[in-house]
Amino acid sequence: MMLNNRWSNRKKRRGSVAIELALTGPLLLLLLVGAADFARVFYHAVTLANAAGTGAFYGAQNNIYSGEFAQMQQAAQTDAKDLGTITAVAGRYCDCPSGTKVDCVTGSCPNYGAPRVYVSTQTKESFSPLVGWTGIPNPVTTGRTAYVRVQ
């Protein structure tokens, strides 16, 4: 009699475990997919930031390289080749210590001399999540910009 009672309790527990798994399984799967999507978008953002920095560092080597926008863009795109196709836009600007923007070729700063030269590279990508999440557009445009002063 006692053996029969143990077997009955074991069957009841098995049934309750199956029901609990059936109820929590979809929630656990949703959390797993959400974590994977978050990890993917974080990876893409870090890679885009590194690519923007690579393009800007290429242009910041000296004044000659600061005007080679195509090479700066190519350096950024090459650095982010793991992501597929990204867009990169490079630029240069000059300013004085007072904050006034001046022309990089003909500009000068009163009481300072030649203006400070900066380069920038902006990278963008269209990111598609694994699942269409409510309230989040699909695809999402992600991007980063890096600014570096020319040596």
Side-chain angles (χ1 to χ4, degrees), residues 103-124:
D103 183 71
C104 290
V105 178
T106 61
S108 68
C109 300
N111 301 325
Y112 184 74
R116 300 178 297 194
V117 181
Y118 297 89
V119 292
S120 67
T121 305
Q122 181 182 33
T123 55
K124 286 187 181 179

Side-chain angles (χ1 to χ4, degrees), residues 30-42:
L30 182 66
L31 287 172
L32 178 69
V33 172
D37 257 351
F38 180 76
R40 287 180 63 236
V41 76
F42 186 75

